Amino acid sequence: MQVPQRVEEILDHLRDPSFEIRQDAARKLKGTYEDEALPLLLHAATDEDMDVRLAVVDSLNNFKSQEAEEALIQALFDEEWEVKWAALRGLGSLWGETHIRKMGDKLLEKRVSGIEAIEKKPNPKYIKPLLAMLDDEEEVQVAAARTLTRLRDPDAIPHLKDIQNEGSKELRAIVEETLINLGDIDTIRAQSNGSGAQIACDVCQQMLPLSFLKKVGSWREDDILYLCQFHYEEHVEKIQPFEGKLKTCKVCKTNWPKTDVNEGMCPNCREKRYYSMDPAPEGQFRCFLSHKVRYERDKSPIDFKGFPVSHRSIYQLIQQSAKAPFLTSQAIKIMQGAFDKGYLMCEQCRTFQPLKKIVKGEDFREECVCDNCDQRGAS
Ligand SMILES: [Zn+2]
Ligand SMILES: [Zn+2]
Ligand SMILES: [Zn+2]
């Protein structure tokens, strides 16, 4: 079959109602490198069907041509995030820039770290990718707005103004700060009239730009604290040694007790990440703590915040301590809750066991052993 004919057929299959046929067609398109295919793809890059656009954009970096690059840059502003991310990955490959590729990753934390990497080596060609990221999840928007300050390009002003009054107080504050840094007169005026979007320190109420504030989180409180440098230092000094130091979440930049930060992320960002993942197949579950898919037999009888967790993950969470041998207050809360439901943690098989199976230890503060482990130890 001639190349154009074959590409037409693939594009048709991309509009098929069956998911399998569409997936297979997308795979075939990804393996298309012939120059004769390019004009058809450029035309289909603005197709009204999202699946078509996504597959086309995903294969455009097969062509080392200026037209393909321009089509990818245009697709950065696609209304569908999936298409936009594919365009970022494509440009990243075409330009040989890993950070731009990362900005198109499906995982939020990778997109944020991709943006932060280019913050350290600003280059005018990053403007368009960054502007595209002003339409994404909030943590990405915040990182993109912050990085645009470093690029000092007034072309960013209208794009920032589009989202100036949207989102949380944090997004509004960073967009305002960037607009002021880029010299936008309206925003500078609003700020000096006292109608700006700065955020107050939760202790002294001083209004400050976002970059002058530190955020502090704790699983005991729902709200995130915003603190000026002085009150942040005061807060840190009051932390008891056994509670451990604070660590900054790599996604939302909130400072949490070290033991609450998992793979560099605070509990809020971990939870959000969990929701963004595919559901587990039948007969399996996704562990709320490790985010890995596990078999039912690995499921702990004790859940975490109402979500399923594996034996191993909940044991690790309980064992985690800022300063041995103290238990974290979260660990005590989990074990107390399990005990109230009739379960104790067997120290040997490291799983929660029903009270009737526990033969040593009567309280969660003691070393408990289940009958299985006890017999195994005796024989
Ligand atoms: Zn303060
Ligand atoms: Zn976070
Ligand atoms: Zn046991």
Side-chain angles (χ1 to χ4, degrees):
M1 210 189 284
Q2 296 284 305
V3 173
Q5 213 180 332
R6 204 188 67 217
V7 173
E8 287 284 14
E9 194 182 288
I10 295 175
L11 291 172
D12 265 352
H13 285 167
L14 283 170
R15 297 185 185 93
D16 198 279
S18 145
F19 176 71
E20 281 74 28
I21 293 181
R22 291 203 307 275
Q23 260 210 326
D24 183 57
R27 220 180 353 257
K28 281 184 185 145
L29 205 60
K30 190 93 188 105
T32 302
Y33 291 86
E34 297 89 342
D35 286 340
E36 301 117 284
L38 187 58
L40 280 166
L41 295 187
L42 291 173
H43 185 255
T46 52
D47 196 280
E48 59 181 23
D49 188 321
M50 180 215 158
D51 283 303
V52 175
R53 296 202 306 281
L54 181 58
V56 168
V57 167
D58 218 14
S59 49
L60 275 175
N61 67 318
N62 290 350
F63 305 89
K64 312 288 167 222
S65 83
Q66 200 184 336
E67 285 161 302
E69 184 179 349
E70 278 163 11
L72 282 171
I73 289 175
Q74 206 177 337
L76 288 176
F77 298 93
D78 197 286
E79 61 190 26
E80 296 290 345
W81 289 357
E82 294 264 347
V83 178
K84 176 210 305 275
W85 297 337
L88 284 158
R89 294 193 300 272
L91 276 177
S93 302
L94 211 59
W95 294 347
E97 303 244 12
T98 7
H99 310 315
I100 303 287
R101 268 194 74 82
K102 262 175 123 181
M103 282 163 66
D105 200 285
K106 284 186 183 143
L107 288 174
L108 171 67
E109 71 263 23
K110 296 242 169 97
R111 298 205 296 286
V112 169
S113 76
I115 294 173
E116 285 169 352
I118 69 170
E119 191 177 352
K120 288 169 199 124
K121 46 166 207 170
N123 180 327
K125 80 171 172 187
Y126 300 147
I127 284 277
K128 289 236 165 77
L130 281 176
L131 292 178
M133 310 238 69
L134 290 176
D135 177 26
D136 199 302
E137 285 182 75
E138 181 154 322
E139 292 81 355
V140 176
Q141 293 178 294
V142 169
R146 190 187 292 124
T147 306
L148 280 166
T149 294
R150 301 267 292 125
L151 288 163
R152 308 223 152 272
D153 187 333
D155 283 352
I157 290 176
H159 294 264
L160 287 160
K161 280 189 155 175
D162 275 350
I163 60 161
Q164 191 170 12
N165 300 311
E166 282 175 19
S168 69
K169 65 173 181 181
E170 190 170 324
L171 179 62
R172 291 200 303 274
I174 191 70
V175 167
E176 177 188 89
E177 199 178 330
T178 306
L179 280 167
I180 289 174
N181 286 329
L182 294 177
D184 178 57
I185 298 296
D186 298 340
T187 310
I188 294 172
R189 217 170 268 153
Q191 175 61 251
S192 55
N193 290 342
S195 55
Q198 291 185 339
I199 295 176
C201 164
D202 280 312
V203 178
C204 66
Q205 304 305 320
Q206 191 189 353
M207 300 295 284
L208 290 164
L210 184 66
S211 61
F212 285 63
L213 290 158
K214 293 271 194 184
K215 294 196 287 171
V216 178
S218 144
W219 65 272
R220 269 165 291 198
E221 286 154 53
D222 286 338
D223 285 337
I224 301 290
L225 284 179
Y226 289 87
L227 299 175
C228 69
Q229 188 64 32
F230 178 82
H231 287 115
Y232 176 69
E233 279 164 27
E234 195 183 74
H235 176 91
V236 170
E237 270 168 35
K238 276 190 289 191
I239 296 171
Q240 300 291 322
F242 67 83
E243 289 178 296
K245 290 209 173 72
L246 298 183
K247 197 173 168 185
T248 311
C249 168
K250 68 180 178 187
V251 179
C252 70
K253 314 300 167 203
T254 307
N255 298 284
W256 281 77
K258 196 172 70 182
T259 48
D260 286 331
V261 177
N262 187 354
E263 289 180 20
M265 276 171 267
C266 75
N268 292 345
C269 291
R270 283 293 285 182
E271 190 168 333
K272 218 169 140 181
R273 185 179 193 268
Y274 183 77
Y275 298 136
S276 76
M277 304 190 107
D278 295 331
E282 272 290 299
Q284 289 172 287
F285 71 99
R286 194 180 283 282
C287 172
F288 186 70
L289 292 167
S290 70
H291 294 185
K292 295 202 170 86
V293 171
R294 299 280 183 221
Y295 288 101
E296 287 293 327
R297 63 167 182 272
D298 299 322
K299 195 197 270 180
S300 170
I302 299 304
D303 59 30
F304 184 72
K305 293 183 179 169
F307 292 96
V309 289
S310 68
H311 290 302
R312 191 183 149 84
S313 294
I314 194 121
Y315 178 76
Q316 282 176 339
L317 184 69
I318 288 168
Q319 283 304 300
Q320 202 179 52
S321 84
K323 285 253 192 322
F326 294 101
L327 287 167
T328 61
S329 25
Q330 188 177 40
I332 291 172
K333 197 179 160 213
I334 293 169
M335 291 206 285
Q336 176 75 63
F339 185 67
D340 293 345
K341 282 186 192 156
Y343 288 90
L344 280 169
M345 171 66 76
C346 166
E347 262 312 309
Q348 288 184 16
C349 57
R350 301 179 169 186
T351 56
F352 277 113
Q353 296 289 339
L355 286 177
K356 61 176 191 294
K357 297 197 63 144
I358 297 287
V359 291
K360 281 183 194 158
E362 281 170 6
D363 184 76
F364 64 85
R365 289 174 193 87
E366 296 171 17
E367 286 229 344
C368 302
V369 179
C370 74
D371 54 359
N372 268 341
C373 294
D374 191 49
Q375 278 165 22
R376 218 174 289 148
S379 62

